Amino acid sequence: SRACADCHQPDRAFSDGKRVALGVGDQPGTRNAPAILNRTYGRAFFWDGRVATLEEQVLLPIQHPKELGADLPTVVGRLRADATYRRQFAEVFGRPPDVRSLSHALATYVRTIFSGASAYDRFEAGETTGLSPLAQQGLRLFRGRANCTACHAGPNFTDEDFHNTGVSWGHRPYDAGRAVVTGVPQDTGKFKTPTLREVERTAPYMHDGSIATLEEVVEFYDRGGNENPFRDRELRRLSLTAEEKAALLAFLQSLSGQIRDGLE
C-alpha cells in the first residue's frame, strides 16, 4: 500500500509536503521526509546519521512498521514472482532477486537523483545576470554576516555533519537525534544538515517539519535558533533588517534548478 515515492515525490523535489511522513495505514512517523537530492555525495543517512551507506539506508524504511511495513523475505519473494523483475535482475546481477541486489538497485537509482542548473549555478559559472541584485545581496549575507555556510557549505549546501539549532527543544516527547546513535550527551538534539538545493520546493522544514515557510526559517535563524544547553556555538542572534531577510530569501529561492534522475 506504500512505495518509496509516496514520501519522496519527484514533483516535490523528492520530498512530500507533509510535516512528518505517513506510512502504512496512514501512521504518522516522527520526522519529516527529507528530499533525496544529490545523495551520491552523502556521508551519512537519515536525520540522525545512523547508517553510513545508501545500500544500508534503502532497506530500513521497507522494514519499519510505521513506514513501508514489510519484511525483506516477502519483498524478495514478490520480486522473484514477477517475470519482468526476474529478467531485469538476471540481466544486471546475473542472479535472481535477493536482498543484496535489491539494496544495490535502489541505492544506485537514488545516486542518479541530482539537482543543479539553478540561477545560483549560472551566476557561479560567470553569468553575471544569473542572480538578481537582491539575491546577490543574500549570497553575500549567506557567506558573510549571517554565517549560513558554517553548516550549509560547499556546492551541495551541506557539511553532512550534525548540529543542534534548538528545533523542537522542550517538546514532549523530545527527539534526542544524533545522541540516540552515539550515546554522547553532547550530541543531544543534533540532526544532519540538509541540502538547500530546491529548498523552496521542500516545505515544511526542519527534522520535525515544524516550520512551515522559508520566511519563518529565516526568522528562526535571525533570532539564533532556540536556546538550549547543547545549541551549536555557531548560532547567534543576527538582528537582520527586513531588506536583509528579503535578500536571504531571494538567494534561497535561487537554489531551485533542474532535477534529473536515472529515468531521464
Side-chain angles (χ1 to χ4, degrees):
S1 64
R2 284 288 187 272
C4 305
D6 289 324
C7 292
H8 303 290
Q9 301 169 18
D11 59 351
R12 290 181 178 270
F14 289 86
S15 63
D16 67 358
K18 298 180 177 67
R19 188 181 67 81
V20 295
L22 297 180
V24 292
D26 286 334
Q27 296 180 87
T30 58
R31 293 176 180 169
N32 180 262
I36 49 173
L37 301 168
N38 299 1
R39 295 313 298 148
T40 191
Y41 305 118
R43 297 201 299 266
F45 301 91
F46 294 105
W47 280 104
D48 55 18
R50 63 185 179 272
V51 300
T53 69
L54 276 171
E55 281 75 12
E56 296 173 272
Q57 185 278 322
V58 294
L59 295 179
L60 295 184
I62 293 173
Q63 304 169 79
H64 196 289
K66 286 191 173 183
E67 294 185 47
L68 299 184
D71 61 78
L72 296 178
T74 296
V75 173
V76 169
R78 290 173 179 170
L79 293 173
R80 291 187 174 191
D82 185 292
T84 299
Y85 279 127
R86 285 201 309 273
R87 175 179 54 79
Q88 291 175 335
F89 274 78
E91 289 174 353
V92 174
F93 297 105
R95 62 180 187 273
D98 56 21
V99 171
R100 186 167 182 266
S101 57
L102 168 62
S103 74
H104 280 272
L106 285 170
T108 300
Y109 169 67
V110 172
R111 288 193 179 96
T112 71
I113 302 170
F114 288 98
S115 168
S118 67
Y120 162 78
D121 295 309
R122 296 195 301 273
F123 179 79
E124 286 291 283
E127 185 180 316
T128 56
T129 58
L131 288 183
S132 69
L134 186 63
Q136 291 183 45
Q137 179 188 358
L139 173 57
R140 290 191 293 272
L141 283 165
F142 189 89
R143 290 174 170 171
R145 188 163 71 86
N147 198 34
C148 306
T149 52
C151 301
H152 295 285
N156 205 28
F157 295 92
T158 170
D159 60 2
E160 290 290 326
D161 206 347
F162 305 87
H163 302 274
N164 177 321
T165 64
V167 173
S168 73
W169 183 261
H171 293 188
R172 294 292 182 269
Y174 181 67
D175 188 339
R178 183 68 173 159
V180 175
V181 177
T182 65
V184 177
Q186 287 75 16
D187 287 340
T188 298
K190 286 186 176 182
F191 293 90
K192 185 158 59 67
T193 306
T195 180
L196 294 181
R197 294 278 179 180
E198 308 293 334
V199 68
E200 187 179 23
R201 302 172 57 190
T202 60
Y205 303 103
M206 309 302 182
H207 72 273
D208 59 356
S210 60
I211 299 184
T213 68
L214 270 181
E215 289 86 351
E216 292 175 88
V217 171
V218 172
E219 292 290 344
F220 177 83
Y221 285 110
D222 183 55
R223 70 172 185 263
N226 292 336
E227 289 190 16
N228 69 88
F230 306 102
R231 185 177 65 168
D232 196 287
R233 62 184 179 182
E234 294 288 351
L235 288 177
R236 65 187 186 281
R237 181 175 293 276
L238 299 174
S239 300
L240 299 174
T241 66
E243 179 188 353
E244 288 172 328
K245 292 175 184 177
L248 264 182
L249 182 64
F251 171 66
L252 292 172
Q253 291 167 335
S254 80
L255 299 177
S256 294
Q258 297 176 14
I259 298 176
R260 297 181 180 275
D261 68 10
L263 300 181
E264 294 184 3

